[in-house]
Amino acid sequence: MTDAARVTIRLDKWLWHARFFKSRSIAAGIVTAGKVRVGGTPVSKPARAVGAGDVLTFVQADVTRVIRILDCGTRRGPAPEAQALYEDLTPVTVAAPQTPGSDRKGRPTKKDRRDMMTQRGMDDPFTLE
């Protein structure tokens, strides 16, 4: 066997080193729940060994992240050091336009309701039909 042994690290530990999760126990919980995929295969054990070249897919704060591991790292260092551990392959998403009255400040105003009705194609917002 002429190939050198591949350097690996526990999956939960790498997610914590790369600063995707605030604590290692949170990272282990996400992995145990089966919400992380390594190379497209769901993983449920936090002790799964990962190394350079592996592609991880997981959900973080309502965003599906696709990450390629570049290095294992030796410690949980500052953010620039953590960002050097991976390459972000997450596709760019376009934010959906907001509708009137949905700025999360409560119920829409009377003007907002009239605007919504005219956008739906109703010519006269005061008709009952």
Side-chain angles (χ1 to χ4, degrees), residues 14 20 55-56 58 60 63-70 82-92:
W14 187 87
F20 286 109
V55 177
L56 306 179
F58 58 93
Q60 180 188 28
V63 176
T64 302
R65 306 289 304 258
V66 181
I67 304 298
R68 177 179 291 129
I69 299 175
L70 299 177
Q83 290 170 353
L85 298 178
Y86 63 89
E87 176 186 359
D88 196 359
L89 305 174
T90 305
V92 178

Side-chain angles (χ1 to χ4, degrees), residues 34-129:
K35 297 182 180 180
V36 178
R37 293 175 178 256
V38 177
T41 306
V43 177
S44 61
K45 296 195 180 220
R48 166 74 154 77
V50 294
D54 288 336
V55 177
L56 306 179
T57 307
F58 58 93
V59 176
Q60 180 188 28
D62 300 330
V63 176
T64 302
R65 306 289 304 258
V66 181
I67 304 298
R68 177 179 291 129
I69 299 175
L70 299 177
D71 191 18
C72 289
T74 56
R75 66 183 186 121
R76 186 173 198 257
E81 186 178 314
Q83 290 170 353
L85 298 178
Y86 63 89
E87 176 186 359
D88 196 359
L89 305 174
T90 305
V92 178
T93 58
V94 177
Q98 289 187 345
T99 57
S102 68
D103 55 355
R104 307 277 185 213
K105 293 182 181 175
R107 296 176 60 179
T109 64
K110 193 171 189 178
K111 182 183 181 319
D112 290 336
R113 285 194 300 272
R114 287 184 190 140
D115 291 342
M116 285 188 280
M117 288 199 173
T118 56
Q119 286 179 355
R120 290 184 186 155
M122 298 178 78
D123 295 331
D124 184 15
F126 299 106
T127 60
L128 297 175
E129 295 180 13

Side-chain angles (χ1 to χ4, degrees), residues 12-30:
D12 61 335
K13 198 171 187 177
W14 187 87
L15 288 169
W16 177 65
H17 277 199
R19 295 186 166 264
F20 286 109
F21 298 102
K22 192 171 184 177
S23 70
R24 189 168 160 193
S25 62
I26 293 172
I30 297 294

